[in-house]
PDB file of all heavy atoms in Angstrom:
ATOM      1  N   ARG A 195      -3.331   6.897   6.942  1.00 92.00           N
ATOM      2  CA  ARG A 195      -4.579   7.647   7.096  1.00 92.00           C
ATOM      3  C   ARG A 195      -5.816   6.758   7.127  1.00 92.00           C
ATOM      4  O   ARG A 195      -6.928   7.248   7.396  1.00 92.00           O
ATOM      5  CB  ARG A 195      -4.712   8.679   5.972  1.00 92.00           C
ATOM      6  CG  ARG A 195      -3.643   9.757   6.012  1.00 92.00           C
ATOM      7  CD  ARG A 195      -3.747  10.689   4.808  1.00 92.00           C
ATOM      8  NE  ARG A 195      -4.888  11.584   4.920  1.00 92.00           N
ATOM      9  CZ  ARG A 195      -4.813  12.843   5.319  1.00 92.00           C
ATOM     10  NH1 ARG A 195      -3.638  13.371   5.663  1.00 92.00           N
ATOM     11  NH2 ARG A 195      -5.890  13.604   5.387  1.00 92.00           N
ATOM     12  N   THR A 196      -5.656   5.471   6.874  1.00 91.00           N
ATOM     13  CA  THR A 196      -6.840   4.600   6.783  1.00 91.00           C
ATOM     14  C   THR A 196      -6.748   3.331   7.618  1.00 91.00           C
ATOM     15  O   THR A 196      -7.650   2.487   7.551  1.00 91.00           O
ATOM     16  CB  THR A 196      -7.113   4.204   5.318  1.00 91.00           C
ATOM     17  OG1 THR A 196      -6.021   3.416   4.817  1.00 91.00           O
ATOM     18  CG2 THR A 196      -7.311   5.425   4.438  1.00 91.00           C
ATOM     19  N   GLY A 198      -7.471   1.817  10.696  1.00 93.00           N
ATOM     20  CA  GLY A 198      -8.213   1.994  11.940  1.00 93.00           C
ATOM     21  C   GLY A 198      -8.359   0.682  12.691  1.00 93.00           C
ATOM     22  O   GLY A 198      -7.922  -0.377  12.238  1.00 93.00           O
ATOM     23  N   VAL A 392     -11.956  -0.538   6.984  1.00 78.00           N
ATOM     24  CA  VAL A 392     -12.151   0.888   7.214  1.00 78.00           C
ATOM     25  C   VAL A 392     -11.388   1.678   6.153  1.00 78.00           C
ATOM     26  O   VAL A 392     -10.238   1.369   5.836  1.00 78.00           O
ATOM     27  CB  VAL A 392     -11.654   1.285   8.620  1.00 78.00           C
ATOM     28  CG1 VAL A 392     -11.787   2.780   8.832  1.00 78.00           C
ATOM     29  CG2 VAL A 392     -12.431   0.524   9.681  1.00 78.00           C
ATOM     30  N   SER A 393     -12.019   2.686   5.588  1.00 76.00           N
ATOM     31  CA  SER A 393     -11.362   3.485   4.559  1.00 76.00           C
ATOM     32  C   SER A 393     -11.277   4.957   4.927  1.00 76.00           C
ATOM     33  O   SER A 393     -10.476   5.696   4.360  1.00 76.00           O
ATOM     34  CB  SER A 393     -12.088   3.340   3.211  1.00 76.00           C
ATOM     35  OG  SER A 393     -13.435   3.755   3.320  1.00 76.00           O
ATOM     36  N   ARG A 394     -12.106   5.411   5.869  1.00 83.00           N
ATOM     37  CA  ARG A 394     -12.065   6.814   6.293  1.00 83.00           C
ATOM     38  C   ARG A 394     -12.094   6.867   7.816  1.00 83.00           C
ATOM     39  O   ARG A 394     -12.933   6.230   8.447  1.00 83.00           O
ATOM     40  CB  ARG A 394     -13.252   7.597   5.720  1.00 83.00           C
ATOM     41  CG  ARG A 394     -13.257   7.695   4.209  1.00 83.00           C
ATOM     42  CD  ARG A 394     -14.362   8.636   3.734  1.00 83.00           C
ATOM     43  NE  ARG A 394     -14.098  10.014   4.153  1.00 83.00           N
ATOM     44  CZ  ARG A 394     -14.914  11.024   3.890  1.00 83.00           C
ATOM     45  NH1 ARG A 394     -16.037  10.819   3.230  1.00 83.00           N
ATOM     46  NH2 ARG A 394     -14.613  12.238   4.307  1.00 83.00           N
ATOM     47  N   LEU A 395     -11.184   7.636   8.370  1.00 91.00           N
ATOM     48  CA  LEU A 395     -11.087   7.785   9.818  1.00 91.00           C
ATOM     49  C   LEU A 395     -11.403   9.227  10.202  1.00 91.00           C
ATOM     50  O   LEU A 395     -11.160  10.154   9.431  1.00 91.00           O
ATOM     51  CB  LEU A 395      -9.684   7.427  10.306  1.00 91.00           C
ATOM     52  CG  LEU A 395      -9.158   6.037   9.932  1.00 91.00           C
ATOM     53  CD1 LEU A 395      -7.735   5.874  10.439  1.00 91.00           C
ATOM     54  CD2 LEU A 395     -10.048   4.944  10.486  1.00 91.00           C
ATOM     55  N   THR A 396     -11.919   9.397  11.398  1.00 92.00           N
ATOM     56  CA  THR A 396     -12.211  10.730  11.916  1.00 92.00           C
ATOM     57  C   THR A 396     -11.199  11.077  12.991  1.00 92.00           C
ATOM     58  O   THR A 396     -11.070  10.357  13.985  1.00 92.00           O
ATOM     59  CB  THR A 396     -13.634  10.789  12.509  1.00 92.00           C
ATOM     60  OG1 THR A 396     -14.578  10.425  11.494  1.00 92.00           O
ATOM     61  CG2 THR A 396     -13.947  12.181  13.009  1.00 92.00           C
ATOM     62  N   ARG A 397     -10.469  12.150  12.789  1.00 94.00           N
ATOM     63  CA  ARG A 397      -9.460  12.580  13.748  1.00 94.00           C
ATOM     64  C   ARG A 397      -9.505  14.113  13.887  1.00 94.00           C
ATOM     65  O   ARG A 397     -10.020  14.814  13.016  1.00 94.00           O
ATOM     66  CB  ARG A 397      -8.047  12.168  13.294  1.00 94.00           C
ATOM     67  CG  ARG A 397      -7.833  10.653  13.184  1.00 94.00           C
ATOM     68  CD  ARG A 397      -7.840   9.980  14.529  1.00 94.00           C
ATOM     69  NE  ARG A 397      -7.454   8.584  14.444  1.00 94.00           N
ATOM     70  CZ  ARG A 397      -8.304   7.566  14.343  1.00 94.00           C
ATOM     71  NH1 ARG A 397      -9.613   7.804  14.287  1.00 94.00           N
ATOM     72  NH2 ARG A 397      -7.871   6.320  14.274  1.00 94.00           N
ATOM     73  N   GLN A 398      -8.950  14.615  14.974  1.00 95.00           N
ATOM     74  CA  GLN A 398      -8.871  16.053  15.186  1.00 95.00           C
ATOM     75  C   GLN A 398      -7.949  16.696  14.142  1.00 95.00           C
ATOM     76  O   GLN A 398      -6.992  16.070  13.686  1.00 95.00           O
ATOM     77  CB  GLN A 398      -8.301  16.364  16.570  1.00 95.00           C
ATOM     78  CG  GLN A 398      -9.127  15.900  17.743  1.00 95.00           C
ATOM     79  CD  GLN A 398      -8.471  16.323  19.049  1.00 95.00           C
ATOM     80  OE1 GLN A 398      -8.713  17.413  19.557  1.00 95.00           O
ATOM     81  NE2 GLN A 398      -7.619  15.459  19.585  1.00 95.00           N
ATOM     82  N   PRO A 399      -8.210  17.966  13.807  1.00 95.00           N
ATOM     83  CA  PRO A 399      -7.274  18.668  12.927  1.00 95.00           C
ATOM     84  C   PRO A 399      -5.975  18.969  13.661  1.00 95.00           C
ATOM     85  O   PRO A 399      -5.928  19.004  14.888  1.00 95.00           O
ATOM     86  CB  PRO A 399      -8.035  19.954  12.572  1.00 95.00           C
ATOM     87  CG  PRO A 399      -8.935  20.184  13.740  1.00 95.00           C
ATOM     88  CD  PRO A 399      -9.356  18.810  14.195  1.00 95.00           C
TER      89      PRO A 399
END
Side-chain angles (χ1 to χ4, degrees):
R195 295 175 73 100
T196 64
V392 177
S393 59
R394 296 187 66 181
L395 304 177
T396 302
R397 298 291 188 265
Q398 297 182 88

